[in-house]
Each structure stands twice: as C-alpha cells, then as structure tokens.
Amino acid sequence: MSAVRVARRTGAVLGALAVWQLLAQFRVTVWLRFSQFPTVVETAREFGRRLGGAAYWQDLGQSLTRIVTGFALAALVGVAVGTALARSPLVADLLGPLLEILRPIPAIALVPVAILLFPGTEQGIVFITFAAAFFPVLVATRHAVRALTPVWEEAVRTMGAGRWRVVWSVVLPGALPGIFGGLSVGLGVSWICVISAEMISGEYGVGYRTWQDYTVVDYPGVFVGMATIGLLGWVTSTAVEVLGRRVTRWLPRTAQVPGPDRGVRGRRRTAVATIGETS
C-alpha cells in the first residue's frame, strides 16, 4: 500500500475521532444527543486503565476462545456440507430443504435453544457462534463449487482420477476464492452473535462486560468495549483475508495502476496487465 493511501486512511480515522471529541466535549444536541457521550480523551484514559487490569484480558481471552472455536467448527462443517450439497443430489435432497428452513432463523434467536440443549453457558455461546458462521460458509461454498467449469474435472478424470482426487485436486482449490468470501462474511456475523450472546447469557467476555458497564452507567467503559469489539473484528477479518491471499496465491492478480488515471485508460492498462500475467 502506498504512503498516500496510508495517509488518507489515517487521516480519515483521526478526522472521525476529532469530530467525536468536539461533539462530546461541547455537548452538542441537534436532534442527535451527544450530551452524555464520553469524549475521546475520557475513553482513551479508561482504555489505558483497563489494559493494566486482569479482568480486561480475561474477558478478551474468553471472547477470542469462543469465536475461534465456533468459527473453526463452522468453517470445517460448512465447507464439507456445502461441497456435498453441490456435488451430491442425494445429500441435496436429504439436507437441502431442512437447511433452507433453518437458514433464515437469526443465530441470536437460538439462545433459548442453546440454554435447553447444553448443560453449560460456554457450550451454548460456542454453538451460537457456530450457527452464525455456518450458513454464510455453507452458501458460499455451495455456489462456488457449482460455478466451477466442468472442463477441469473432465480433464482430471481422463487421467484416471477418482472422486476424492477430483474433490481434493480440482473442486476445493477452484472454489477457494468463493469459500474465503463466505469465511469473511461468516466471521463478521459470528462476532455480532457472540457479543450478543455474551450480553444475554454470558458470565465473562467483552460483550458481557460492555453490558455490565451500561447497566451501571459507566459510559466510558461501554465505549471501551465497543472499541475492543471493533479492533478484534478488524484483526480477525484481516487474518482471514491474508490467509486467503496466501492460499490462493497461484491465482492471477489484477494489477493496480498508480496515479490519478482511473478512467477508461486506467481500466485498459489494468486489463492488459492482467492478460500479461495469465499469458
């Protein structure tokens, strides 16, 4: 990334923080009420204080453990079931209708089901996290596998490859870009649901602590929790994106054209660069 783009992104964040500071400091009320908002300085001071305490890191570790466990299970099961649905008419007939009925149900609405099913709160929150990520991964995998060109599979079969060899050598590698798109979406939904589940029935975690701060009218603590959730989501989504780029590094990449020429000529140069890479 160029220095100009880094400067633009940094400036956008600093500008948003400056607007927040001014609105909260002067207690602006123009339909929207900022009179009870903590300032950026107050939130940063509270953030620093909590970084020095054990409770903050315990909550952070608890939320990360839940999200990693639930998301990893959803990734494995979602890719497997999505591939099976796209490849097997029998699996599609047996599981397809049931999954389509369950898919519109919000994962957070499964909190009562998790309380009834699991003996402990921890397993229930992991289950909700799993359910949140499972369906985006499933749908993305199914569409990615169905979109593969049949020529690849036919070419491998002419060399004597069996069904499993085709899946491992052609289907999954070819569907990886779509699968990682589903993983990225699923991770974002998982964070929303795990924080909500912690607020409703958790005992530890960032969501639980944020809700407790709200109940005792500790607004700087609430904003610390929100900032923590945002940072955790950004770090984990970036990790998934970087992993996806490394796993699919064999794919041709579209060249970025520097400079202000972003019009028709810029698109033509990008197309020429892409053709040059693939030829």
Side-chain angles (χ1 to χ4, degrees), residues 154-208:
E154 293 170 1
V156 175
R157 286 191 179 277
T158 57
M159 293 185 288
R163 176 181 301 178
W164 291 107
R165 181 62 182 274
V166 170
V167 170
W168 285 107
S169 301
V170 176
V171 175
L172 290 180
L176 276 178
I179 291 173
F180 271 96
L183 291 174
S184 181
V185 174
L187 183 60
V189 179
S190 292
W191 271 116
I192 296 173
C193 290
V194 73
I195 295 300
S196 301
E198 289 176 349
M199 289 181 175
I200 294 172
S201 62
E203 297 178 359
Y204 300 99
V206 179
Y208 169 80

Side-chain angles (χ1 to χ4, degrees), residues 65-222:
T65 300
R66 291 164 176 167
I67 199 77
V68 169
T69 305
F71 179 72
L73 290 173
L76 292 174
V77 179
V79 170
V81 176
T83 303
L85 287 173
R87 300 277 301 174
S88 172
L90 177 62
V91 175
D93 292 339
L94 294 177
L95 295 182
L98 177 62
L99 293 172
E100 287 302 317
I101 293 172
L102 295 175
R103 185 160 65 95
I105 301 175
I108 197 61
L110 299 176
V111 169
V113 177
I115 293 174
L116 294 174
L117 280 177
F118 297 96
T121 302
E122 194 66 26
Q123 298 94 326
I125 295 178
V126 171
F127 166 73
I128 292 168
T129 308
F130 164 83
F134 171 72
F135 285 105
V137 176
L138 167 74
V139 173
T141 302
R142 183 180 63 187
H143 287 308
V145 172
R146 286 178 177 174
L148 292 176
T149 174
V151 176
W152 296 353
E153 180 175 345
E154 293 170 1
V156 175
R157 286 191 179 277
T158 57
M159 293 185 288
R163 176 181 301 178
W164 291 107
R165 181 62 182 274
V166 170
V167 170
W168 285 107
S169 301
V170 176
V171 175
L172 290 180
L176 276 178
I179 291 173
F180 271 96
L183 291 174
S184 181
V185 174
L187 183 60
V189 179
S190 292
W191 271 116
I192 296 173
C193 290
V194 73
I195 295 300
S196 301
E198 289 176 349
M199 289 181 175
I200 294 172
S201 62
E203 297 178 359
Y204 300 99
V206 179
Y208 169 80
R209 192 66 56 191
T210 302
W211 183 253
Q212 291 302 307
D213 290 333
Y214 173 74
T215 58
V216 298
V217 200
D218 182 3
Y219 293 130
V222 172

Side-chain angles (χ1 to χ4, degrees), residues 6-84:
V6 172
R8 279 204 303 254
R9 296 188 178 196
T10 304
V13 174
L14 293 178
L17 292 176
V19 172
W20 171 11
Q21 174 70 26
L22 292 174
L23 291 173
Q25 182 176 350
F26 293 101
R27 307 302 180 189
V28 175
T29 300
V30 184
W31 188 59
L32 295 176
R33 300 173 299 173
F34 295 92
S35 56
Q36 294 184 337
F37 264 47
T39 64
V40 176
V41 175
E42 293 170 344
T43 303
R45 188 181 299 118
E46 179 65 16
F47 207 156
R49 188 186 69 80
R50 296 200 176 191
L51 287 175
Y56 178 84
W57 297 105
Q58 182 183 15
D59 291 332
L60 193 70
Q62 200 76 20
S63 294
L64 280 174
T65 300
R66 291 164 176 167
I67 199 77
V68 169
T69 305
F71 179 72
L73 290 173
L76 292 174
V77 179
V79 170
V81 176
T83 303

